[in-house]
Amino acid sequence: MALTQCRKTTVVTTPETDAALFAKATSTDFTYYKNDTQVHASSSQSAYSGYFRVRFNAIALSALTDNGKLPAGGTFPQGSLIVKELHNDSSGTQLHGYAIMEKLSSDTSQADGWVWSEVNTAGTGYTIHNKGAICTGCHSVDDRDRVRLFDLFP
Ligand code: HEC
């Protein structure tokens, strides 16, 4: 008689990979910032002078308790995933890539608690193994856990 075995369903979150992060960023259920699906022009403080909209996975969304924003001084929980869609214009149909932040404070690729990636729609670009070297400077200027749009787009 065969033994019935319990199957383990361990979710491996670290170490993160570019491919796994891209799959999550393009497939998980997300909610747009303030439920606003409009694409907006980037602020003058952005590296990218194009158009964007930002979405949060359910874990990140749970931390947005200050009128849809992370409270000042707050921190996002582990597993939070924030995706900035990069668009060519305001139509919402000209998506060309993604800038991605994933909260994984113990990951080998993390910097300031986040794993950082910026890729085109095929999933290639700025690898997580760069540890956000070109990202963290701009993203360290406020006290909302490295996320910029809460203060710039209140
Ligand atoms: C020159 C400054 C600058 C650099 C460099 C920069 N960002 Fe940003 N980022 C911004 C600003 C400002 C915003 C707010 C939205 C906007 O104005 O475009 C933003 C928004 C974001 C968002 C949406 C969440 C938030 O913070 O508002 C993500 C995700 C993001 N950036 C990821 C990255 C990644 C990954 C890199 C590095 C590859 C990077 N950024 C480099 C300035 C920068």
Side-chain angles (χ1 to χ4, degrees):
M1 194 166 85
L3 287 173
T4 308
Q5 294 214 322
C6 283
R7 288 187 54 192
K8 276 190 182 169
T9 52
T10 312
V11 179
V12 179
T13 53
T14 59
E16 188 56 283
T17 66
D18 286 305
L21 182 56
F22 180 66
K24 278 186 253 184
T26 50
S27 70
T28 315
D29 271 342
F30 284 91
T31 303
Y32 284 101
Y33 180 48
K34 296 180 170 177
N35 285 314
D36 178 12
T37 57
Q38 279 288 314
V39 174
H40 297 277
S42 268
S43 77
S44 58
Q45 295 192 37
S46 171
Y48 173 70
S49 58
Y51 295 81
F52 79 102
R53 61 185 170 187
V54 171
R55 44 189 172 77
F56 299 88
N57 73 351
I59 299 171
L61 194 69
S62 69
L64 305 185
T65 54
D66 175 15
N67 284 319
K69 301 190 282 291
L70 183 78
T75 39
F76 280 97
Q78 297 300 308
S80 290
L81 186 55
I82 306 176
V83 178
K84 179 185 185 184
E85 294 180 5
L86 308 175
H87 289 256
N88 290 325
D89 63 24
S90 60
S91 70
T93 61
Q94 300 291 317
L95 176 72
H96 69 82
Y98 307 93
I100 304 165
M101 296 167 62
E102 182 181 37
K103 193 65 176 283
L104 285 180
S105 302
S106 309
D107 197 85
T108 48
S109 296
Q110 69 83 30
D112 296 345
W114 295 92
V115 171
W116 307 79
S117 164
E118 189 169 326
V119 292
N120 59 23
T121 51
T124 57
Y126 189 76
T127 169
I128 62 171
H129 302 298
N130 290 324
K131 300 185 182 176
I134 64 166
C135 318
T136 51
C138 276
H139 276 266
S140 298
V141 302
D142 62 28
D143 61 351
R144 298 198 197 236
D145 204 6
R146 304 301 193 273
V147 172
R148 300 296 315 275
L149 90 168
F150 300 129
D151 286 345
L152 292 170
F153 296 88

PDB file of all heavy atoms in Angstrom, residues 47-85:
ATOM      1  N   ALA A  47      14.308  60.232 -13.293  1.00  0.00           N
ATOM      2  CA  ALA A  47      15.355  59.981 -14.282  1.00  0.00           C
ATOM      3  C   ALA A  47      14.740  59.849 -15.657  1.00  0.00           C
ATOM      4  O   ALA A  47      15.385  60.068 -16.672  1.00  0.00           O
ATOM      5  CB  ALA A  47      16.096  58.699 -13.930  1.00  0.00           C
ATOM      6  N   TYR A  48      13.469  59.526 -15.687  1.00  0.00           N
ATOM      7  CA  TYR A  48      12.804  59.167 -16.930  1.00  0.00           C
ATOM      8  C   TYR A  48      11.807  60.253 -17.296  1.00  0.00           C
ATOM      9  O   TYR A  48      10.832  60.463 -16.609  1.00  0.00           O
ATOM     10  CB  TYR A  48      12.101  57.826 -16.736  1.00  0.00           C
ATOM     11  CG  TYR A  48      11.239  57.442 -17.897  1.00  0.00           C
ATOM     12  CD1 TYR A  48      11.818  57.081 -19.110  1.00  0.00           C
ATOM     13  CD2 TYR A  48       9.858  57.433 -17.780  1.00  0.00           C
ATOM     14  CE1 TYR A  48      11.029  56.737 -20.181  1.00  0.00           C
ATOM     15  CE2 TYR A  48       9.058  57.085 -18.851  1.00  0.00           C
ATOM     16  CZ  TYR A  48       9.657  56.739 -20.045  1.00  0.00           C
ATOM     17  OH  TYR A  48       8.881  56.394 -21.103  1.00  0.00           O
ATOM     18  N   SER A  49      12.067  60.996 -18.367  1.00  0.00           N
ATOM     19  CA  SER A  49      11.207  62.114 -18.703  1.00  0.00           C
ATOM     20  C   SER A  49      10.064  61.675 -19.610  1.00  0.00           C
ATOM     21  O   SER A  49       9.855  62.223 -20.684  1.00  0.00           O
ATOM     22  CB  SER A  49      12.016  63.204 -19.399  1.00  0.00           C
ATOM     23  OG  SER A  49      12.618  62.667 -20.561  1.00  0.00           O
ATOM     24  N   GLY A  50       9.360  60.648 -19.195  1.00  0.00           N
ATOM     25  CA  GLY A  50       8.262  60.146 -19.996  1.00  0.00           C
ATOM     26  C   GLY A  50       6.981  60.103 -19.196  1.00  0.00           C
ATOM     27  O   GLY A  50       6.706  61.012 -18.410  1.00  0.00           O
ATOM     28  N   TYR A  51       6.217  59.064 -19.392  1.00  0.00           N
ATOM     29  CA  TYR A  51       4.922  58.929 -18.745  1.00  0.00           C
ATOM     30  C   TYR A  51       4.892  57.625 -17.953  1.00  0.00           C
ATOM     31  O   TYR A  51       5.605  56.677 -18.280  1.00  0.00           O
ATOM     32  CB  TYR A  51       3.821  58.950 -19.805  1.00  0.00           C
ATOM     33  CG  TYR A  51       3.751  60.277 -20.511  1.00  0.00           C
ATOM     34  CD1 TYR A  51       4.629  60.574 -21.551  1.00  0.00           C
ATOM     35  CD2 TYR A  51       2.836  61.238 -20.114  1.00  0.00           C
ATOM     36  CE1 TYR A  51       4.582  61.803 -22.187  1.00  0.00           C
ATOM     37  CE2 TYR A  51       2.789  62.464 -20.743  1.00  0.00           C
ATOM     38  CZ  TYR A  51       3.658  62.747 -21.777  1.00  0.00           C
ATOM     39  OH  TYR A  51       3.607  63.964 -22.390  1.00  0.00           O
ATOM     40  N   PHE A  52       4.061  57.606 -16.927  1.00  0.00           N
ATOM     41  CA  PHE A  52       4.096  56.446 -16.049  1.00  0.00           C
ATOM     42  C   PHE A  52       2.766  56.261 -15.314  1.00  0.00           C
ATOM     43  O   PHE A  52       1.935  57.173 -15.239  1.00  0.00           O
ATOM     44  CB  PHE A  52       5.211  56.611 -15.009  1.00  0.00           C
ATOM     45  CG  PHE A  52       4.822  57.536 -13.868  1.00  0.00           C
ATOM     46  CD1 PHE A  52       4.450  57.032 -12.634  1.00  0.00           C
ATOM     47  CD2 PHE A  52       4.788  58.911 -14.055  1.00  0.00           C
ATOM     48  CE1 PHE A  52       4.072  57.880 -11.595  1.00  0.00           C
ATOM     49  CE2 PHE A  52       4.412  59.766 -13.030  1.00  0.00           C
ATOM     50  CZ  PHE A  52       4.062  59.251 -11.795  1.00  0.00           C
ATOM     51  N   ARG A  53       2.606  55.075 -14.779  1.00  0.00           N
ATOM     52  CA  ARG A  53       1.624  54.843 -13.725  1.00  0.00           C
ATOM     53  C   ARG A  53       2.201  53.754 -12.833  1.00  0.00           C
ATOM     54  O   ARG A  53       3.023  52.943 -13.267  1.00  0.00           O
ATOM     55  CB  ARG A  53       0.246  54.480 -14.279  1.00  0.00           C
ATOM     56  CG  ARG A  53       0.201  53.235 -15.105  1.00  0.00           C
ATOM     57  CD  ARG A  53      -1.191  53.027 -15.713  1.00  0.00           C
ATOM     58  NE  ARG A  53      -1.130  51.944 -16.687  1.00  0.00           N
ATOM     59  CZ  ARG A  53      -2.122  51.596 -17.497  1.00  0.00           C
ATOM     60  NH1 ARG A  53      -3.269  52.258 -17.452  1.00  0.00           N
ATOM     61  NH2 ARG A  53      -1.975  50.601 -18.344  1.00  0.00           N
ATOM     62  N   VAL A  54       1.769  53.729 -11.569  1.00  0.00           N
ATOM     63  CA  VAL A  54       2.368  52.846 -10.571  1.00  0.00           C
ATOM     64  C   VAL A  54       1.305  51.918 -10.007  1.00  0.00           C
ATOM     65  O   VAL A  54       0.176  52.345  -9.721  1.00  0.00           O
ATOM     66  CB  VAL A  54       3.013  53.677  -9.439  1.00  0.00           C
ATOM     67  CG1 VAL A  54       3.456  52.771  -8.290  1.00  0.00           C
ATOM     68  CG2 VAL A  54       4.202  54.467  -9.972  1.00  0.00           C
ATOM     69  N   ARG A  55       1.697  50.643  -9.856  1.00  0.00           N
ATOM     70  CA  ARG A  55       0.758  49.689  -9.251  1.00  0.00           C
ATOM     71  C   ARG A  55       1.431  48.904  -8.123  1.00  0.00           C
ATOM     72  O   ARG A  55       2.656  48.757  -8.094  1.00  0.00           O
ATOM     73  CB  ARG A  55       0.175  48.760 -10.310  1.00  0.00           C
ATOM     74  CG  ARG A  55       1.154  48.202 -11.315  1.00  0.00           C
ATOM     75  CD  ARG A  55       0.397  47.485 -12.445  1.00  0.00           C
ATOM     76  NE  ARG A  55       1.228  47.079 -13.554  1.00  0.00           N
ATOM     77  CZ  ARG A  55       2.038  46.020 -13.550  1.00  0.00           C
ATOM     78  NH1 ARG A  55       2.150  45.281 -12.457  1.00  0.00           N
ATOM     79  NH2 ARG A  55       2.738  45.713 -14.627  1.00  0.00           N
ATOM     80  N   PHE A  56       0.601  48.437  -7.197  1.00  0.00           N
ATOM     81  CA  PHE A  56       1.055  47.769  -5.977  1.00  0.00           C
ATOM     82  C   PHE A  56       0.455  46.369  -5.910  1.00  0.00           C
ATOM     83  O   PHE A  56      -0.723  46.188  -6.234  1.00  0.00           O
ATOM     84  CB  PHE A  56       0.576  48.541  -4.753  1.00  0.00           C
ATOM     85  CG  PHE A  56       1.089  49.948  -4.662  1.00  0.00           C
ATOM     86  CD1 PHE A  56       0.407  50.989  -5.273  1.00  0.00           C
ATOM     87  CD2 PHE A  56       2.260  50.235  -3.979  1.00  0.00           C
ATOM     88  CE1 PHE A  56       0.875  52.297  -5.201  1.00  0.00           C
ATOM     89  CE2 PHE A  56       2.738  51.536  -3.904  1.00  0.00           C
ATOM     90  CZ  PHE A  56       2.051  52.564  -4.514  1.00  0.00           C
ATOM     91  N   ASN A  57       1.240  45.377  -5.436  1.00  0.00           N
ATOM     92  CA  ASN A  57       0.635  44.081  -5.191  1.00  0.00           C
ATOM     93  C   ASN A  57      -0.144  44.151  -3.858  1.00  0.00           C
ATOM     94  O   ASN A  57      -0.117  45.175  -3.163  1.00  0.00           O
ATOM     95  CB  ASN A  57       1.677  42.944  -5.211  1.00  0.00           C
ATOM     96  CG  ASN A  57       2.590  42.912  -3.991  1.00  0.00           C
ATOM     97  OD1 ASN A  57       2.587  43.828  -3.171  1.00  0.00           O
ATOM     98  ND2 ASN A  57       3.372  41.856  -3.878  1.00  0.00           N
ATOM     99  N   ALA A  58      -0.839  43.077  -3.523  1.00  0.00           N
ATOM    100  CA  ALA A  58      -1.733  43.109  -2.361  1.00  0.00           C
ATOM    101  C   ALA A  58      -0.968  43.365  -1.064  1.00  0.00           C
ATOM    102  O   ALA A  58      -1.466  44.043  -0.162  1.00  0.00           O
ATOM    103  CB  ALA A  58      -2.516  41.794  -2.273  1.00  0.00           C
ATOM    104  N   ILE A  59       0.248  42.831  -0.960  1.00  0.00           N
ATOM    105  CA  ILE A  59       1.051  43.024   0.263  1.00  0.00           C
ATOM    106  C   ILE A  59       1.403  44.496   0.423  1.00  0.00           C
ATOM    107  O   ILE A  59       1.252  45.076   1.498  1.00  0.00           O
ATOM    108  CB  ILE A  59       2.332  42.166   0.215  1.00  0.00           C
ATOM    109  CG1 ILE A  59       1.969  40.682   0.127  1.00  0.00           C
ATOM    110  CG2 ILE A  59       3.202  42.435   1.439  1.00  0.00           C
ATOM    111  CD1 ILE A  59       3.169  39.772  -0.133  1.00  0.00           C
ATOM    112  N   ALA A  60       1.857  45.117  -0.656  1.00  0.00           N
ATOM    113  CA  ALA A  60       2.207  46.540  -0.592  1.00  0.00           C
ATOM    114  C   ALA A  60       0.961  47.382  -0.323  1.00  0.00           C
ATOM    115  O   ALA A  60       0.982  48.320   0.478  1.00  0.00           O
ATOM    116  CB  ALA A  60       2.870  46.973  -1.901  1.00  0.00           C
ATOM    117  N   LEU A  61      -0.123  47.010  -0.981  1.00  0.00           N
ATOM    118  CA  LEU A  61      -1.370  47.766  -0.840  1.00  0.00           C
ATOM    119  C   LEU A  61      -1.822  47.837   0.616  1.00  0.00           C
ATOM    120  O   LEU A  61      -2.356  48.854   1.067  1.00  0.00           O
ATOM    121  CB  LEU A  61      -2.446  47.097  -1.703  1.00  0.00           C
ATOM    122  CG  LEU A  61      -3.719  47.879  -1.966  1.00  0.00           C
ATOM    123  CD1 LEU A  61      -3.413  49.072  -2.871  1.00  0.00           C
ATOM    124  CD2 LEU A  61      -4.757  46.968  -2.633  1.00  0.00           C
ATOM    125  N   SER A  62      -1.569  46.748   1.364  1.00  0.00           N
ATOM    126  CA  SER A  62      -2.038  46.688   2.748  1.00  0.00           C
ATOM    127  C   SER A  62      -1.380  47.746   3.629  1.00  0.00           C
ATOM    128  O   SER A  62      -1.867  48.048   4.718  1.00  0.00           O
ATOM    129  CB  SER A  62      -1.780  45.291   3.334  1.00  0.00           C
ATOM    130  OG  SER A  62      -0.392  45.075   3.514  1.00  0.00           O
ATOM    131  N   ALA A  63      -0.257  48.305   3.169  1.00  0.00           N
ATOM    132  CA  ALA A  63       0.459  49.299   3.975  1.00  0.00           C
ATOM    133  C   ALA A  63       0.035  50.728   3.655  1.00  0.00           C
ATOM    134  O   ALA A  63       0.486  51.680   4.296  1.00  0.00           O
ATOM    135  CB  ALA A  63       1.973  49.151   3.759  1.00  0.00           C
ATOM    136  N   LEU A  64      -0.843  50.883   2.673  1.00  0.00           N
ATOM    137  CA  LEU A  64      -1.206  52.236   2.223  1.00  0.00           C
ATOM    138  C   LEU A  64      -2.381  52.765   3.036  1.00  0.00           C
ATOM    139  O   LEU A  64      -3.501  52.916   2.540  1.00  0.00           O
ATOM    140  CB  LEU A  64      -1.527  52.238   0.730  1.00  0.00           C
ATOM    141  CG  LEU A  64      -0.425  51.661  -0.172  1.00  0.00           C
ATOM    142  CD1 LEU A  64      -0.782  51.827  -1.639  1.00  0.00           C
ATOM    143  CD2 LEU A  64       0.927  52.313   0.130  1.00  0.00           C
ATOM    144  N   THR A  65      -2.121  53.053   4.290  1.00  0.00           N
ATOM    145  CA  THR A  65      -3.189  53.386   5.239  1.00  0.00           C
ATOM    146  C   THR A  65      -3.384  54.887   5.439  1.00  0.00           C
ATOM    147  O   THR A  65      -4.255  55.294   6.202  1.00  0.00           O
ATOM    148  CB  THR A  65      -2.881  52.751   6.608  1.00  0.00           C
ATOM    149  OG1 THR A  65      -1.578  53.159   7.026  1.00  0.00           O
ATOM    150  CG2 THR A  65      -2.916  51.226   6.509  1.00  0.00           C
ATOM    151  N   ASP A  66      -2.571  55.694   4.771  1.00  0.00           N
ATOM    152  CA  ASP A  66      -2.675  57.144   4.934  1.00  0.00           C
ATOM    153  C   ASP A  66      -3.294  57.736   3.663  1.00  0.00           C
ATOM    154  O   ASP A  66      -2.601  58.250   2.810  1.00  0.00           O
ATOM    155  CB  ASP A  66      -1.272  57.717   5.200  1.00  0.00           C
ATOM    156  CG  ASP A  66      -1.264  59.245   5.262  1.00  0.00           C
ATOM    157  OD1 ASP A  66      -2.340  59.850   5.392  1.00  0.00           O
ATOM    158  OD2 ASP A  66      -0.163  59.820   5.162  1.00  0.00           O
ATOM    159  N   ASN A  67      -4.621  57.614   3.543  1.00  0.00           N
ATOM    160  CA  ASN A  67      -5.310  58.078   2.331  1.00  0.00           C
ATOM    161  C   ASN A  67      -4.677  57.538   1.058  1.00  0.00           C
ATOM    162  O   ASN A  67      -4.422  58.285   0.114  1.00  0.00           O
ATOM    163  CB  ASN A  67      -5.327  59.612   2.285  1.00  0.00           C
ATOM    164  CG  ASN A  67      -6.356  60.181   3.237  1.00  0.00           C
ATOM    165  OD1 ASN A  67      -7.456  59.642   3.345  1.00  0.00           O
ATOM    166  ND2 ASN A  67      -5.989  61.240   3.937  1.00  0.00           N
ATOM    167  N   GLY A  68      -4.411  56.242   1.046  1.00  0.00           N
ATOM    168  CA  GLY A  68      -3.843  55.610  -0.146  1.00  0.00           C
ATOM    169  C   GLY A  68      -2.336  55.717  -0.230  1.00  0.00           C
ATOM    170  O   GLY A  68      -1.739  55.281  -1.212  1.00  0.00           O
ATOM    171  N   LYS A  69      -1.723  56.300   0.802  1.00  0.00           N
ATOM    172  CA  LYS A  69      -0.267  56.433   0.815  1.00  0.00           C
ATOM    173  C   LYS A  69       0.327  55.664   2.002  1.00  0.00           C
ATOM    174  O   LYS A  69      -0.358  55.422   2.992  1.00  0.00           O
ATOM    175  CB  LYS A  69       0.135  57.909   0.931  1.00  0.00           C
ATOM    176  CG  LYS A  69      -0.388  58.780  -0.192  1.00  0.00           C
ATOM    177  CD  LYS A  69       0.241  60.161  -0.164  1.00  0.00           C
ATOM    178  CE  LYS A  69      -0.373  61.055   0.891  1.00  0.00           C
ATOM    179  NZ  LYS A  69      -1.751  61.441   0.600  1.00  0.00           N
ATOM    180  N   LEU A  70       1.607  55.342   1.898  1.00  0.00           N
ATOM    181  CA  LEU A  70       2.315  54.826   3.069  1.00  0.00           C
ATOM    182  C   LEU A  70       2.474  55.979   4.044  1.00  0.00           C
ATOM    183  O   LEU A  70       2.896  57.068   3.648  1.00  0.00           O
ATOM    184  CB  LEU A  70       3.701  54.313   2.668  1.00  0.00           C
ATOM    185  CG  LEU A  70       4.521  53.691   3.798  1.00  0.00           C
ATOM    186  CD1 LEU A  70       4.039  52.277   4.087  1.00  0.00           C
ATOM    187  CD2 LEU A  70       6.003  53.679   3.452  1.00  0.00           C
ATOM    188  N   PRO A  71       2.132  55.801   5.333  1.00  0.00           N
ATOM    189  CA  PRO A  71       2.317  56.907   6.271  1.00  0.00           C
ATOM    190  C   PRO A  71       3.780  57.333   6.333  1.00  0.00           C
ATOM    191  O   PRO A  71       4.674  56.507   6.174  1.00  0.00           O
ATOM    192  CB  PRO A  71       1.887  56.296   7.616  1.00  0.00           C
ATOM    193  CG  PRO A  71       1.091  55.090   7.282  1.00  0.00           C
ATOM    194  CD  PRO A  71       1.596  54.591   5.962  1.00  0.00           C
ATOM    195  N   ALA A  72       4.036  58.620   6.548  1.00  0.00           N
ATOM    196  CA  ALA A  72       5.400  59.107   6.717  1.00  0.00           C
ATOM    197  C   ALA A  72       6.061  58.313   7.845  1.00  0.00           C
ATOM    198  O   ALA A  72       5.460  58.087   8.891  1.00  0.00           O
ATOM    199  CB  ALA A  72       5.391  60.593   7.039  1.00  0.00           C
ATOM    200  N   GLY A  73       7.283  57.866   7.613  1.00  0.00           N
ATOM    201  CA  GLY A  73       7.998  57.074   8.599  1.00  0.00           C
ATOM    202  C   GLY A  73       7.645  55.600   8.574  1.00  0.00           C
ATOM    203  O   GLY A  73       8.235  54.814   9.312  1.00  0.00           O
ATOM    204  N   GLY A  74       6.689  55.205   7.751  1.00  0.00           N
ATOM    205  CA  GLY A  74       6.266  53.806   7.685  1.00  0.00           C
ATOM    206  C   GLY A  74       7.204  52.944   6.867  1.00  0.00           C
ATOM    207  O   GLY A  74       8.105  53.454   6.195  1.00  0.00           O
ATOM    208  N   THR A  75       6.994  51.620   6.942  1.00  0.00           N
ATOM    209  CA  THR A  75       7.768  50.698   6.109  1.00  0.00           C
ATOM    210  C   THR A  75       6.837  49.688   5.455  1.00  0.00           C
ATOM    211  O   THR A  75       5.833  49.286   6.039  1.00  0.00           O
ATOM    212  CB  THR A  75       8.806  49.903   6.927  1.00  0.00           C
ATOM    213  OG1 THR A  75       8.245  49.549   8.178  1.00  0.00           O
ATOM    214  CG2 THR A  75      10.079  50.665   7.124  1.00  0.00           C
ATOM    215  N   PHE A  76       7.173  49.294   4.262  1.00  0.00           N
ATOM    216  CA  PHE A  76       6.409  48.277   3.550  1.00  0.00           C
ATOM    217  C   PHE A  76       6.766  46.892   4.090  1.00  0.00           C
ATOM    218  O   PHE A  76       7.910  46.637   4.426  1.00  0.00           O
ATOM    219  CB  PHE A  76       6.720  48.330   2.055  1.00  0.00           C
ATOM    220  CG  PHE A  76       5.977  49.407   1.320  1.00  0.00           C
ATOM    221  CD1 PHE A  76       6.580  50.626   1.061  1.00  0.00           C
ATOM    222  CD2 PHE A  76       4.675  49.206   0.890  1.00  0.00           C
ATOM    223  CE1 PHE A  76       5.896  51.626   0.382  1.00  0.00           C
ATOM    224  CE2 PHE A  76       3.976  50.194   0.218  1.00  0.00           C
ATOM    225  CZ  PHE A  76       4.587  51.415  -0.038  1.00  0.00           C
ATOM    226  N   PRO A  77       5.777  45.962   4.141  1.00  0.00           N
ATOM    227  CA  PRO A  77       6.067  44.600   4.584  1.00  0.00           C
ATOM    228  C   PRO A  77       6.866  43.811   3.545  1.00  0.00           C
ATOM    229  O   PRO A  77       6.859  44.146   2.348  1.00  0.00           O
ATOM    230  CB  PRO A  77       4.670  43.972   4.772  1.00  0.00           C
ATOM    231  CG  PRO A  77       3.685  44.888   4.191  1.00  0.00           C
ATOM    232  CD  PRO A  77       4.348  46.206   3.901  1.00  0.00           C
ATOM    233  N   GLN A  78       7.537  42.768   4.016  1.00  0.00           N
ATOM    234  CA  GLN A  78       8.287  41.875   3.127  1.00  0.00           C
ATOM    235  C   GLN A  78       7.365  41.325   2.043  1.00  0.00           C
ATOM    236  O   GLN A  78       6.228  40.939   2.331  1.00  0.00           O
ATOM    237  CB  GLN A  78       8.881  40.711   3.927  1.00  0.00           C
ATOM    238  CG  GLN A  78       9.891  41.141   4.978  1.00  0.00           C
ATOM    239  CD  GLN A  78      11.073  41.857   4.376  1.00  0.00           C
ATOM    240  OE1 GLN A  78      11.708  41.358   3.454  1.00  0.00           O
ATOM    241  NE2 GLN A  78      11.375  43.032   4.894  1.00  0.00           N
ATOM    242  N   GLY A  79       7.878  41.292   0.815  1.00  0.00           N
ATOM    243  CA  GLY A  79       7.079  40.780  -0.298  1.00  0.00           C
ATOM    244  C   GLY A  79       6.318  41.866  -1.034  1.00  0.00           C
ATOM    245  O   GLY A  79       5.692  41.592  -2.054  1.00  0.00           O
ATOM    246  N   SER A  80       6.393  43.081  -0.522  1.00  0.00           N
ATOM    247  CA  SER A  80       5.750  44.187  -1.240  1.00  0.00           C
ATOM    248  C   SER A  80       6.383  44.335  -2.615  1.00  0.00           C
ATOM    249  O   SER A  80       7.600  44.272  -2.761  1.00  0.00           O
ATOM    250  CB  SER A  80       5.931  45.502  -0.463  1.00  0.00           C
ATOM    251  OG  SER A  80       5.167  45.493   0.722  1.00  0.00           O
ATOM    252  N   LEU A  81       5.541  44.542  -3.604  1.00  0.00           N
ATOM    253  CA  LEU A  81       6.029  44.687  -4.973  1.00  0.00           C
ATOM    254  C   LEU A  81       5.386  45.926  -5.577  1.00  0.00           C
ATOM    255  O   LEU A  81       4.155  46.063  -5.565  1.00  0.00           O
ATOM    256  CB  LEU A  81       5.666  43.436  -5.767  1.00  0.00           C
ATOM    257  CG  LEU A  81       6.202  43.293  -7.187  1.00  0.00           C
ATOM    258  CD1 LEU A  81       7.711  43.429  -7.230  1.00  0.00           C
ATOM    259  CD2 LEU A  81       5.803  41.920  -7.743  1.00  0.00           C
ATOM    260  N   ILE A  82       6.239  46.836  -6.056  1.00  0.00           N
ATOM    261  CA  ILE A  82       5.767  48.095  -6.629  1.00  0.00           C
ATOM    262  C   ILE A  82       6.318  48.188  -8.046  1.00  0.00           C
ATOM    263  O   ILE A  82       7.521  48.068  -8.266  1.00  0.00           O
ATOM    264  CB  ILE A  82       6.231  49.296  -5.793  1.00  0.00           C
ATOM    265  CG1 ILE A  82       5.820  49.113  -4.332  1.00  0.00           C
ATOM    266  CG2 ILE A  82       5.655  50.598  -6.356  1.00  0.00           C
ATOM    267  CD1 ILE A  82       6.328  50.203  -3.399  1.00  0.00           C
ATOM    268  N   VAL A  83       5.432  48.384  -9.000  1.00  0.00           N
ATOM    269  CA  VAL A  83       5.825  48.405 -10.402  1.00  0.00           C
ATOM    270  C   VAL A  83       5.448  49.754 -11.006  1.00  0.00           C
ATOM    271  O   VAL A  83       4.295  50.173 -10.958  1.00  0.00           O
ATOM    272  CB  VAL A  83       5.138  47.272 -11.192  1.00  0.00           C
ATOM    273  CG1 VAL A  83       5.515  47.344 -12.673  1.00  0.00           C
ATOM    274  CG2 VAL A  83       5.510  45.916 -10.617  1.00  0.00           C
ATOM    275  N   LYS A  84       6.456  50.416 -11.555  1.00  0.00           N
ATOM    276  CA  LYS A  84       6.219  51.652 -12.299  1.00  0.00           C
ATOM    277  C   LYS A  84       6.210  51.284 -13.782  1.00  0.00           C
ATOM    278  O   LYS A  84       7.237  50.877 -14.337  1.00  0.00           O
ATOM    279  CB  LYS A  84       7.333  52.651 -11.999  1.00  0.00           C
ATOM    280  CG  LYS A  84       7.211  53.983 -12.744  1.00  0.00           C
ATOM    281  CD  LYS A  84       8.441  54.852 -12.458  1.00  0.00           C
ATOM    282  CE  LYS A  84       8.302  56.243 -13.082  1.00  0.00           C
ATOM    283  NZ  LYS A  84       9.528  57.039 -12.892  1.00  0.00           N
ATOM    284  N   GLU A  85       5.074  51.423 -14.401  1.00  0.00           N
ATOM    285  CA  GLU A  85       4.987  51.182 -15.842  1.00  0.00           C
ATOM    286  C   GLU A  85       5.533  52.398 -16.561  1.00  0.00           C
ATOM    287  O   GLU A  85       5.139  53.530 -16.281  1.00  0.00           O
ATOM    288  CB  GLU A  85       3.538  50.972 -16.269  1.00  0.00           C
ATOM    289  CG  GLU A  85       2.886  49.731 -15.714  1.00  0.00           C
ATOM    290  CD  GLU A  85       1.443  49.606 -16.201  1.00  0.00           C
ATOM    291  OE1 GLU A  85       1.008  50.438 -17.027  1.00  0.00           O
ATOM    292  OE2 GLU A  85       0.751  48.692 -15.739  1.00  0.00           O
TER     293      GLU A  85
END
